[in-house]
Amino acid sequence: MTTALYWKLAEDSFEQKDYRSAVQHLDRVLAEAPDTAAALELRARAHFHRASLPPAEVDLRALLELEPTNEYAMLLLARTLERQDRRTEARGVRRVLAVVTGNEEHLADHRAFA
């Protein structure tokens, strides 16, 4: 199969909330194109939804290496760290996010963790 087909299958799986399959398809996409920001983001989201938090964190950090001002990646990384009870690290990410966006609301812990 082609990378484009694996990407389509990953998107379809994600939309159907079959996050495990989405991750498997995205693994194939990223094997062929490791610096594909959209694939890293979607795989991080799929990992997050599966509560596979360490792999989500790895993908989000890789994504932020490619796109240092990606607001969504920063927010999801903060939430991922919070879910792992790493609130101090999450606050650091939230501070950067607040500076990048100019929105101080990002400084607050997620409601579920406050």
Side-chain angles (χ1 to χ4, degrees), residues 1-76:
M1 280 196 259
T2 67
T3 302
L5 182 55
Y6 282 123
W7 174 254
K8 176 69 173 136
L9 290 170
E11 287 183 314
D12 291 346
S13 295
F14 189 90
E15 287 177 18
Q16 295 169 9
K17 299 184 181 192
D18 181 0
Y19 302 119
R20 182 173 186 237
S21 293
V23 167
Q24 291 171 341
H25 296 309
L26 289 163
D27 287 345
R28 290 181 176 103
V29 171
L30 288 162
E32 294 296 320
D35 291 337
T36 306
L40 282 168
E41 183 174 305
L42 189 59
R43 189 170 71 176
R45 291 174 59 200
H47 281 306
F48 183 84
H49 284 295
R50 295 182 67 212
S52 297
L53 302 175
E57 179 183 350
V58 169
D59 283 349
L60 291 164
R61 290 190 188 278
L63 176 56
L64 287 168
E65 286 291 320
L66 296 172
E67 297 181 349
T69 59
N70 184 317
E71 297 171 22
Y72 182 76
M74 283 185 245
L75 180 59
L76 191 57

